Amino acid sequence: MLNDVVPMTDKFLLAVNRDTQLSVTQQIFRGMRDAILKGTLKQGSRLSSWQDLAAQLGVSRGTVKRAYDLLRDENLVETKGRAGTWVSTALPVSPALQHPGPTEPAGLFYDFDVGPQYFQLGVPAYDEFPTKPWHTAWRRAIAAEATRPQIYPDPRGISSLRLEVAGYLATARGIRCHPDQVFITSGFAGALGIVLNAMEFRGQAAYVEEPGFPRTRQALEQSGITTIPVPVDRDGIGLPRSTGAARLAVVTPGQQAPLGMTLSSDRRSGLLRWAADADGWIIEDDYAGELQLSGHAAPSLASEDSDGRVFYIGSFSKTLSPGLRLGFLVVPPSLTARFGRFVGHLAPAGPVVAQRAVQNFMSGGHFLRHLRRMKTLYAERKSILVEALRQELHPAVRCEFEGALSVRLFLPSIANDVAIATSAQREGLGVLPISAWYQGRNPPQGLLLGVANVRARTVSAKCEMLARILAS
Ligand SMILES: Cc1ncc(COP(=O)(O)O)c(C=O)c1O
């Protein structure tokens, strides 16, 4: 919601949004910094005095002054005593060089600087994080790092974390693997890049789920791989009868993304048989791991892979934080040397301190405890969300909520889910359009709502807001 929009020059409007978590000081600072770097606020031009701007925006003078101080710290403005504040004539970066075109990846992402928005998908609950043991794990990791010799770390990831992950996978996901099969990666995305490149899949084709995670589809296409969409039904993905078209399949068997069903046991064996017979490979995206909200989590597909055909990928993005950029890849035993060489040259694991913090957290028993708590919390949050949606939404909107960490709303086919999601996001509701998860023509129209950050106190008001947007 734009509460106050203030003209600074004829071209530049400064907007302050009071509904976000980003402080007003930061909003003013970032708005002006962007305008200066884009050249909208010209070099050598005078800014409104902070007193005037504060009055226009209805914020305190101190708030604006702090924003101006931040601009000055970055040498973007100069203060000339009583003559006021001026856009620097010697900018650290020339505005002319600041326009390489859009660089932020479009599509599935939200604003990188704010949030999470209400209903935002793919992020953990931020209010229930076990911050105390997490801080302790980091403090210990930093202390260990500070005294460690300055040598290159193992590009596969530190051995203690790989050992910890192998142990976790054995108990929680039924995977029996040697720690040398485990590679620490930059989340699922990093692991996917490693598999696609190390296995030289460029130029080949891959079966993907329809609907399926758009970032996976885009990553495959960007890597020169043709994607063949295979519809999922209530049993998950069922490969076509004639499967000669591809030797790779990328799947989410634990919790189909975004529809939430678990791959049935017949389909699991069918998929594994196909890979063994066709000299094929399966990438298992176990993004939500054991965060399956009802009953026991289904075992991973990799746990049933006796032919060494599955690349298993897990991520800490949903369980700890996407900001960690940490995930883990388990490769079949016959490929450990090949992957070891590949990551050593092109994709070494990230900062040791983060790896060590996660390892401390896991070995202290906090990770499993946290997962157990989150399973209960997310199930509760989902049920209050479903209840509120039932109260607020028009009966023509079909609500699906089994499986997954999301609720799916299916809209009449004449709806435009991209436009609806855009309007909703502008009002702080982080819903995603479901059509973006389909590759085929005339995709269903609908919305995905994440449950992790739903609260009993606010859920009715947010659902009412969504219902209003849907009705408009
Ligand atoms: C289907 C799916 N796979 C993987 C991920 C995690 O990706 P990453 O580990 O790169 O954050 C997500 C997160 O949104 C997801 O929805």
Side-chain angles (χ1 to χ4, degrees):
M1 189 98 23
L2 295 185
N3 289 353
D4 302 281
V5 178
V6 173
M8 294 284 298
T9 71
D10 50 352
K11 283 207 204 115
F12 171 58
L13 298 177
L14 184 60
V16 169
N17 180 348
R18 292 173 204 280
D19 280 349
T20 97
Q21 291 182 348
L22 194 66
S23 70
V24 174
T25 296
Q26 275 293 328
Q27 291 182 49
I28 297 171
F29 162 64
R30 290 176 193 203
M32 288 194 162
R33 180 186 58 188
D34 289 352
I36 293 170
L37 291 175
K38 284 181 184 147
T40 320
L41 280 176
K42 297 262 175 286
Q43 294 187 47
S45 63
R46 187 170 184 272
L47 298 185
S48 304
S49 74
W50 40 268
Q51 292 88 337
D52 283 353
L53 186 58
Q56 287 165 30
L57 288 173
V59 300
S60 77
R61 294 174 178 192
T63 300
V64 180
K65 182 171 182 310
R66 277 193 297 280
Y68 280 24
D69 287 346
L70 291 172
L71 291 167
R72 204 191 45 219
D73 292 346
E74 295 207 359
N75 295 326
L76 294 170
V77 299
E78 293 160 11
T79 38
K80 300 185 181 171
R82 300 173 74 153
T85 306
W86 299 72
V87 178
S88 176
T89 46
L91 289 177
V93 185
S94 151
L97 291 178
Q98 273 293 307
H99 280 288
T103 55
E104 286 183 10
L108 251 199
F109 295 93
Y110 300 84
D111 187 330
F112 294 119
D113 295 323
V114 274
Q117 288 192 324
Y118 214 85
F119 301 138
Q120 182 159 334
L121 212 72
V123 290
Y126 69 86
D127 58 329
E128 290 287 340
F129 198 74
T131 35
K132 227 169 149 186
W134 185 237
H135 284 170
T136 308
W138 274 89
R139 260 198 310 277
R140 286 180 44 212
I142 291 166
E145 260 311 279
T147 50
R148 193 179 73 92
Q150 315 291 334
I151 52 169
Y152 273 92
D154 190 327
R156 298 170 299 172
I158 57 172
S159 57
S160 51
L161 179 58
R162 288 190 289 124
L163 189 65
E164 202 63 59
V165 168
Y168 158 72
L169 290 175
T171 39
R173 310 298 296 125
I175 299 175
R176 304 200 65 75
C177 64
H178 190 279
D180 278 359
Q181 289 172 253
V182 178
F183 293 80
I184 303 302
T185 64
S186 172
F188 167 77
L192 181 63
I194 291 170
V195 177
L196 298 182
N197 284 298
M199 295 300 289
E200 300 176 2
F201 282 128
R202 177 172 286 278
Q204 301 190 26
Y207 295 119
V208 293
E209 296 163 327
E210 171 82 344
F213 189 39
R215 272 207 275 144
T216 293
R217 189 173 73 227
Q218 286 147 9
L220 290 164
E221 286 166 359
Q222 214 169 305
S223 307
I225 295 165
T226 309
T227 54
I228 303 175
V230 181
V232 300
D233 58 24
R234 52 205 291 271
D235 289 331
I237 185 173
L239 287 186
R241 271 185 208 295
S242 152
T243 51
R247 279 180 52 230
L248 172 65
V250 187
V251 291
T252 51
Q255 239 180 79
Q256 203 277 332
L259 300 182
M261 73 283 287
T262 301
L263 192 65
S264 71
S265 89
D266 281 358
R267 293 272 173 88
R268 282 162 177 265
S269 3
L271 200 56
L272 290 168
R273 214 173 318 112
W274 160 76
D277 293 348
D279 189 21
W281 299 98
I282 299 166
I283 296 179
E284 175 176 16
D285 173 3
D286 199 32
Y287 65 102
E290 53 168 346
L291 279 180
Q292 296 176 37
L293 302 189
S294 45
H296 276 299
S300 64
L301 186 65
S303 67
E304 297 166 26
D305 172 31
S306 49
D307 293 293
R309 291 279 148 194
V310 176
F311 295 101
Y312 172 91
I313 303 178
S315 171
F316 289 113
S317 289
K318 301 277 189 291
T319 50
L320 292 176
S321 165
L324 276 173
R325 298 312 311 141
L326 280 180
F328 35 96
L329 161 69
V330 182
V331 308
S334 61
L335 292 168
T336 50
R338 178 175 184 161
F339 276 72
R341 274 194 305 279
F342 182 85
V343 300
H345 297 147
L346 272 171
V352 170
V353 69
Q355 296 183 52
R356 209 175 284 291
V358 171
Q359 183 248 312
N360 291 339
F361 191 73
M362 291 179 93
S363 63
H366 303 293
F367 184 60
L368 283 177
R369 199 168 310 133
H370 176 55
L371 287 184
R372 274 198 300 276
R373 282 189 59 235
M374 289 306 102
K375 253 178 105 143
T376 313
L377 180 79
Y378 293 160
E380 280 165 16
R381 289 188 169 178
K382 188 189 249 187
S383 77
I384 60 166
L385 172 58
V386 170
E387 191 49 42
L389 287 167
R390 285 205 174 115
Q391 305 274 335
E392 302 294 341
L393 288 190
H394 192 276
V397 178
R398 185 161 56 85
C399 173
E400 274 188 10
F401 50 86
E402 290 82 13
L405 300 170
S406 65
V407 169
R408 284 83 61 198
L409 300 182
F410 285 93
L411 306 170
S413 58
I414 50 157
N416 177 344
D417 61 2
V418 174
I420 294 169
T422 308
S423 308
Q425 288 190 13
R426 230 179 273 131
E427 298 205 31
L429 301 182
V431 298
L432 289 180
I434 218 163
S435 61
W437 295 59
Y438 286 80
Q439 202 167 341
R441 286 197 189 168
N442 304 323
Q445 300 292 306
L447 299 175
L448 295 170
L449 280 63
V451 302
N453 286 299
V454 163
R455 310 290 162 70
R457 206 166 23 86
T458 43
V459 68
S460 297
K462 299 294 179 183
C463 290
E464 203 184 313
M465 206 167 151
L466 185 61
R468 182 177 42 74
I469 295 167
L470 286 171
S472 63

